[in-house]
Amino acid sequence: MDYDRTRMPEAYDRGRAMQPGVLALWLDELASLLPRRPERIVDLGCGTGRFSGGLANGYAAQVIGVDPSEKMLREARAKDLGPDVSFRTGSAEAIPVESGWADLVFMSMVFHHIGDRPKAAAECGRVLAPGGCVAIRGPTREQAHRVPLNGYFEGFEALYLARMPSLAEIAAPFQPEGFRPLGHKLVEQVSQPDWTSFVERTTLRADSLLASLPDAAFEAGLGAMRARPTPGPVRDWVDLVVLQRP
Ligand SMILES: C[S@@+](CC[C@H](N)C(=O)[O-])C[C@H]1O[C@@H](n2cnc3c(N)ncnc32)[C@H](O)[C@@H]1O
């Protein structure tokens, strides 16, 4: 999806704001799967830089955020995340970073957007130093049954199943590059404290699947959400896969 042709960049940070403690949770989960603390990170498909500053501060690392969307990068640059974070225009298929620079390539909610995955895996292998890791955070087909939006929006589940990769499909393009699986976690996170805030957040449509639905299906789905609330905090389950370059 070309984010520059959508209205998502302006709404993304409000629509995807992390609840207190969620960034720290992810930094801990990721650190637990890595062989050592990363010092030079490519935040590939960084978008508005939602993770870029946290990666730099949490690991005392230099971070280069890379994204093809100028609008997403504009939001990221406006945050002024300090001297250890910079942003470059590029894509997973052509990463504008010198060979061997990184010890971690981090991708959050990006893998399903990548058009040429074999090329992206080769590029990850090129920019990583020997022994460096790629960490892929995102939705998988295995978790389709737990997605909180399922059952409210006509066509949503079919789109989810069509677009999201399985765990095996995430690992597959890295195998010819010699990467070996280092670890996997299914991380449970609180996405909103209650249903009302979840509906409010959903109205922002800062989600590529919601953005792909016809407007009528989107509006009807919001109506269904308001009519059928689920009690308690809204949780979701996100996979984290780490593979290591030879
Ligand atoms: C859902 S956003 C995730 C942004 C950020 N990583 C986060 O978790 O908040 C997906 C991002 O992937 C970017 N993207 C789309 N195609 C890409 C590609 N081929 N290579 C790298 N990034 C891509 C989009 O421009 C968008 O910023």
Side-chain angles (χ1 to χ4, degrees), residues 34-36 102-104 128-134 179 182 243-246:
L34 294 175
R36 66 189 77 86
D103 52 13
L104 174 66
L128 281 169
C133 292
V134 61
F179 281 75
L182 212 56
L243 301 124
Q244 188 173 34
R245 180 197 186 286

Side-chain angles (χ1 to χ4, degrees), residues 47-232:
T48 60
R50 202 162 60 114
F51 280 91
S52 311
L55 289 167
N57 295 332
Y59 300 145
Q62 274 180 273
V63 174
I64 299 177
V66 172
D67 203 281
S69 163
E70 292 299 340
K71 285 193 196 171
M72 293 294 266
L73 287 175
R74 194 180 310 146
E75 300 286 326
R77 289 188 175 109
K79 289 179 182 155
D80 196 8
L81 294 173
D84 292 326
V85 182
S86 59
F87 295 101
R88 298 181 187 176
T89 306
S91 71
E93 294 90 338
I95 305 175
V97 171
E98 72 186 77
S99 301
W101 178 82
D103 52 13
L104 174 66
V105 174
F106 175 76
M107 287 187 239
S108 163
M109 302 287 168
V110 176
F111 189 84
H112 56 284
H113 289 299
I114 297 174
D116 189 338
R117 292 174 183 168
K119 200 164 178 190
E123 274 293 87
C124 288
R126 181 186 64 75
V127 301
L128 281 169
C133 292
V134 61
I136 298 167
R137 170 188 185 269
T140 58
R141 278 212 291 283
E142 283 85 344
Q143 302 311 320
H145 63 290
R146 305 191 208 234
V147 176
L149 290 172
N150 269 348
Y152 293 96
F153 294 86
E154 192 185 338
F156 182 89
E157 188 170 6
L159 263 185
Y160 183 99
L161 289 169
R163 289 202 188 158
M164 299 313 171
S166 66
L167 284 166
E169 285 168 351
I170 289 176
F174 293 94
Q175 279 156 7
E177 302 299 322
F179 281 75
R180 70 178 182 100
L182 212 56
H184 164 246
K185 282 199 171 179
L186 178 61
V187 180
E188 179 183 343
Q189 61 176 31
V190 171
S191 77
Q192 287 297 316
D194 53 58
W195 193 257
T196 307
S197 351
F198 185 54
V199 176
E200 198 53 41
R201 189 195 78 169
T202 307
T203 61
L204 296 169
R205 218 172 173 176
D207 174 301
S208 59
L209 298 184
L210 292 178
S212 301
L213 292 177
D215 289 346
F218 177 67
E219 292 304 329
L222 286 179
M225 286 182 82
R226 292 189 178 105
R228 286 189 278 128
T230 300

